[in-house]
Amino acid sequence: ARNLLRFTFRHRRLLDPASACLQEPCEWCYAPHLARVQRFVERQEPIHFVILAFPSKSPNTTKVLGPLPDLAEWTALEFLQSFCDQLSYYHPPGARITICSDGHVFAEAVGITDEEATAYHAEMEAIVAAQGAGSIDFFALIDAFDPMPYPGMRELLETQYAEQVDLIRKRVAEDANARQLFNGIHRFLFEDRTAMRPELSRNRVREDTKQLAYTVIRRSNAWSRLVEERFPAAVRLSIHPQPEHGEKLGFHLLKTRDNWLTPWHGVALESSDGLILVKRFQAEQAKARLVWR
């Protein structure tokens, strides 16, 4: 179990990239996850990971190519399948990953439509099928509630699982880790809304997106609670940087120089360092050429 976690820690995304725990995990790094992994090892079952990820492409076309998955998602999914396969070196049953796709959870809060989130999710499933990635499956908002329009599902999610926004504000004000998460999400929203609403002043956009950031965190926490309820035994991965000794493991899906960047906020760039994740405008500044496969 420790070897499995040590291998997993190689891909950690920490809030503090300079932390000594990044190179040499300490006992407190293992503590939140060891018992969960041990249970799968004792039962000779695949290690089950869940990750809240792959919601939809950013609506900001200075960051991405368009609304559907591209090589960034394709490569990230290949990596996740490879990660599961490689764990079988330590644990023959290997691993499996449930992607808890949260596009419909956030939709209107981040400036996309439910139709765009649906199209993105369908293409993600098609990519997994095309790759034959048998260790990856999906869980989405539509799997959590009885069929109904998405606004109704979001309302149920908030009613049953969300906390009051005042509690989130208090946590952001008092807790450094919560504040870093808030600042990261606020940055994403500010960048996207600035590009989408050039007629608004930056101060106006900054204030508007500050309120949206609380909405996104509130829904994200609610979705996280629902996922924990549905998959209580699973090891939790996160696409956001996490504290060294947190309940979730921050997890890199692709090589990137930006600790917060994800495939749905960027593009895949072939560089001298291999395939890396950057924002579209950065690839264009580097005189990259768009390649269709």
Side-chain angles (χ1 to χ4, degrees):
R2 290 178 65 86
N3 284 338
L4 288 163
L5 280 170
R6 177 174 284 277
F7 180 82
T8 305
F9 288 163
R10 288 170 53 185
H11 306 289
R12 273 204 297 180
R13 192 192 290 245
L14 295 182
L15 281 171
D16 178 9
S19 169
C21 289
L22 190 61
Q23 299 301 323
E24 190 58 44
C26 71
E27 288 305 310
W28 291 107
C29 292
Y30 290 99
H33 319 288
L34 195 57
R36 292 185 182 221
V37 175
Q38 283 175 333
R39 278 195 291 271
F40 290 111
V41 171
E42 288 164 0
R43 296 172 184 172
Q44 282 299 292
E45 296 173 351
I47 311 301
H48 186 201
F49 296 93
V50 298
I51 185 168
L52 279 58
F54 301 101
S56 57
K57 277 292 192 184
S58 163
N60 182 354
T61 52
T62 70
K63 289 183 176 180
V64 301
L65 296 173
L68 293 177
D70 51 43
L71 186 64
E73 279 86 355
W74 180 282
T75 307
L77 290 170
E78 279 187 327
F79 162 71
L80 289 176
Q81 179 62 47
S82 173
F83 169 75
C84 291
D85 294 340
Q86 290 176 50
L87 281 181
S88 64
Y89 175 82
Y90 303 102
H91 178 61
R96 64 188 182 96
I97 295 176
T98 298
I99 294 172
C100 299
S101 183
D102 42 11
H104 291 105
V105 172
F106 305 120
E108 89 296 349
V110 297
I112 63 165
T113 66
D114 283 318
E115 290 74 21
E116 287 171 327
T118 298
Y120 180 91
H121 185 76
E123 189 67 15
M124 289 292 296
E125 290 183 322
I127 291 173
V128 166
Q131 291 181 349
S135 299
I136 298 173
D137 60 15
F138 291 91
F139 178 78
L141 195 60
I142 198 169
D143 303 309
F145 298 107
D146 293 332
M148 67 178 74
Y150 283 108
M153 290 190 223
R154 285 191 283 271
E155 186 177 343
L156 275 179
L157 177 68
E158 291 189 353
T159 301
Q160 296 180 18
Y161 295 94
E163 60 188 338
Q164 295 299 314
V165 71
D166 288 345
L167 294 175
I168 300 172
R169 292 179 190 276
K170 186 173 186 293
R171 194 179 308 126
V172 168
E174 297 175 355
D175 183 270
N177 291 332
R179 191 156 52 251
Q180 277 189 274
L181 177 62
F182 172 85
N183 289 339
I185 291 173
H186 185 211
R187 176 165 68 93
F188 280 140
L189 294 170
F190 175 74
E191 290 171 346
D192 290 355
R193 198 57 58 96
T194 301
M196 294 163 62
R197 299 293 304 276
E199 75 279 9
L200 298 179
S201 71
R202 290 175 67 85
N203 285 340
R204 168 69 186 279
V205 173
R206 185 172 286 107
E207 196 56 38
D208 288 350
T209 51
K210 185 179 293 184
Q211 306 312 313
L212 279 176
Y214 287 115
T215 298
V216 169
I217 290 173
R218 183 170 184 258
R219 287 195 196 165
S220 177
N221 291 347
W223 181 236
S224 184
R225 290 188 187 95
L226 187 153
V227 168
E228 177 71 25
E229 181 180 280
R230 295 298 179 94
F231 306 105
V235 180
R236 295 292 300 274
L237 303 178
S238 173
I239 51 91
H240 294 134
Q242 295 291 320
E244 295 93 325
H245 313 139
E247 295 293 324
K248 299 177 187 176
L249 287 169
F251 202 67
H252 278 290
L253 302 175
L254 275 176
K255 184 190 294 185
T256 175
R257 300 185 185 101
D258 183 334
N259 204 31
W260 286 86
L261 196 59
T262 65
W264 48 97
H265 278 98
V267 298
L269 175 68
E270 288 281 5
S271 74
S272 57
D273 295 328
L275 193 74
I276 64 171
L277 191 64
V278 300
K279 295 169 185 172
R280 178 180 178 172
F281 77 87
Q282 293 170 325
E284 291 172 343
Q285 287 173 347
K287 308 298 183 186
R289 179 170 56 92
L290 182 63
V291 177
W292 294 87
R293 293 182 181 173

